[in-house]
Amino acid sequence: MKHIALLGAGRIGQVHARSISVTQGARLSAVFDVNLAAAEAIAQQYGCKTATIESIEADPDIDGVLICTPTDLHAQQIEQFITAGKAVFCEKPIDLDVGRVKACLDVVSTKKGQLMVGFNRRFDPHFAAVRKAISDGQIGMAELAIITSRDPAAPPADYIRRSGGIFRDMAIHDFDMALFLLDEMPVQVSATGSVLTDPEIAGLGDFDTASIWLKMASGKQAVITNSRRASYGYDQRIEVHGSKGMITAENQRPISIELATQEGFSKPALHDFFMTRYTQAYAAEIAAFISALNGSATMNPTGRDGLNALLVAEAADRSARTGKIIDIG
Ligand SMILES: NC(=O)c1ccc[n+]([C@@H]2O[C@H](COP(=O)([O-])OP(=O)(O)OC[C@H]3O[C@@H](n4cnc5c(N)ncnc54)[C@H](O)[C@@H]3O)[C@@H](O)[C@H]2O)c1
């Protein structure tokens, strides 16, 4: 049995607490949040204890730590718990600054630590099937990936303020997906951003609408569009065009039916947000972390994947703010 501690009992912390509870061979043993009521609620729901950072660090029975705190705490907490000999699963992004991520990954490497980064969409069965079809050569050479990712609504201002902006916070999932699907880093990034949904977002120095274009060394391309507002739910689609065909993953619905009447065709609404759309992916992601902890697999996505996606996010942010195409070395 692997004993797991959770840091941060907010939106994603609650999702992962549930995933641990459905993962064989794993048990949520401790939870810490500066908001004691949030930690208490998880402790009660899953029958674990509330703890402090120091007690988790010192507890020899804790094998792994899930870091689900705000982004600006991740790098320091990764270093702290890797140094304490715990395996770490950390939510994306590792940090907002590329230099800080590199320093953190150096610590992980020096300590020979185990680190997995939370790019949950790789574990979505539909997107994983797209990746497998590409690797199996079913569309020949993949040439162009088109990724649509729209949230139903923007997060609160306090979250946006600490998030690093739409490219590092939201589009980073799509950058990781583009790299995962095309299996290559971009050499050029071009992006444009606007504020169309809420002027408060402009006041925070962020965008709510973005289009990004990535060009890989081989010439393969990815086009990503993002919005913080989709009136019809959580819009998550992928299309990859290749030399011998095309593969798409359409939106998923909680209820998969289509009604046909005289008036036309209609389908139920989309999932409302990531907690329900990616339930299976989150469970598979945590199961993969536990497998790696048991030694039956390696930790994947890696810290390097976290750094690669952040390098693209930083370039996209720079491109949107300067209007220039950014070369990635
Ligand atoms: N992979 C995904 O799909 C996904 C989805 C949402 C968020 N995230 C990432 O997860 C992280 C958290 O996001 P969220 O939406 O859950 O935020 P949130 O604000 O809902 O939750 C963060 C929690 O951390 C707690 N916290 C703050 N400081 C702390 C500290 N020093 N020690 C312990 N707990 C502390 C807060 O009280 C809060 O309960 C962010 O880095 C975000 O980018 C990932």
Side-chain angles (χ1 to χ4, degrees):
M1 179 65 66
K2 294 297 176 194
H3 293 271
I4 305 299
L6 174 69
L7 301 189
R11 292 189 306 172
I12 201 70
Q14 292 168 36
V15 171
H16 291 321
R18 189 192 161 279
S19 294
I20 287 288
S21 77
V22 297
T23 304
Q24 281 208 334
R27 186 174 186 282
L28 184 63
S29 298
V31 55
F32 170 69
D33 193 299
V34 285
N35 175 347
L36 295 179
E40 274 296 342
I42 292 224
Q44 280 205 350
Q45 191 171 357
Y46 296 101
C48 70
K49 62 185 180 206
T50 55
T52 61
I53 294 255
E54 295 71 28
S55 68
I56 292 170
E57 204 180 354
D59 186 342
D61 292 334
I62 301 280
D63 303 292
V65 177
L66 309 184
I67 299 180
C68 302
T69 48
T71 298
D72 49 9
L73 300 173
H74 292 178
Q76 182 268 318
Q77 290 179 336
I78 290 172
E79 291 171 355
Q80 183 173 4
F81 285 97
I82 289 287
T83 303
K86 313 293 183 198
V88 172
F89 170 92
C90 184
E91 263 311 332
K92 44 56 61 177
I94 296 173
D95 193 81
L96 300 178
D97 178 71
V98 165
R100 183 69 187 92
V101 172
K102 286 182 177 165
C104 175
L105 296 187
D106 281 348
V107 172
V108 176
S109 160
T110 306
K111 302 280 176 193
K112 298 191 171 27
Q114 285 187 293
L115 171 67
M116 176 169 163
V117 177
F119 287 125
N120 58 294
R121 293 182 196 176
R122 291 185 181 210
F123 297 89
D124 175 68
H126 313 282
F127 296 168
V130 170
R131 171 69 163 89
K132 181 162 187 322
I134 295 171
S135 319
D136 291 349
Q138 287 184 267
I139 60 164
M141 169 77 79
E143 294 167 349
L144 179 61
I146 300 168
I147 300 174
T148 304
S149 177
R150 299 177 192 145
D151 285 356
D158 269 354
Y159 179 96
I160 291 185
R161 198 171 286 116
R162 294 175 83 172
S163 73
I166 193 168
F167 298 108
R168 290 180 181 84
D169 178 58
M170 179 179 171
I172 197 160
H173 278 294
D174 307 305
F175 300 145
D176 179 66
M177 185 50 61
L179 273 48
F180 176 59
L181 294 174
L182 299 180
D183 205 15
E184 210 177 333
M185 268 299 273
V187 289
Q188 283 190 324
V189 178
S190 172
T192 183
S194 334
V195 177
L196 300 175
T197 75
D198 184 351
E200 192 182 14
I201 292 177
L204 296 166
D206 200 2
F207 306 109
D208 57 24
T209 309
S211 305
I212 308 122
W213 167 86
L214 313 181
K215 187 172 182 187
M216 314 300 177
S218 63
K220 294 177 188 175
Q221 297 183 21
V223 178
I224 297 163
T225 62
N226 297 119
S227 172
R228 289 282 199 190
R229 177 192 58 202
S231 57
Y232 48 88
Y234 189 40
D235 190 359
Q236 301 281 288
R237 286 170 283 147
I238 285 179
E239 175 183 309
V240 185
H241 170 74
S243 57
K244 292 187 181 158
M246 175 184 77
I247 181 160
T248 56
E250 293 294 344
N251 271 316
Q252 300 300 309
R253 294 171 160 76
I255 305 292
S256 246
I257 55 170
E258 186 175 50
L259 173 69
T261 66
Q262 256 185 332
E263 279 75 46
F265 289 74
S266 70
K267 294 178 178 178
L270 300 182
H271 282 285
D272 56 356
F273 212 177
F274 61 86
M275 297 81 131
T276 53
R277 167 63 182 84
Y278 288 120
T279 307
Q280 276 179 292
Y282 290 123
E285 167 182 72
I286 292 300
F289 176 65
I290 300 300
S291 289
L293 206 41
N294 282 323
S296 6
T298 52
M299 294 277 168
N300 196 15
T302 61
R304 179 73 222 188
D305 292 318
L307 175 60
N308 285 345
L310 184 69
L311 283 164
V312 181
E314 188 177 75
D317 189 71
R318 203 141 36 98
S319 175
R321 289 179 196 285
T322 60
K324 294 188 172 141
I325 295 177
I326 306 297
D327 293 321
I328 298 190

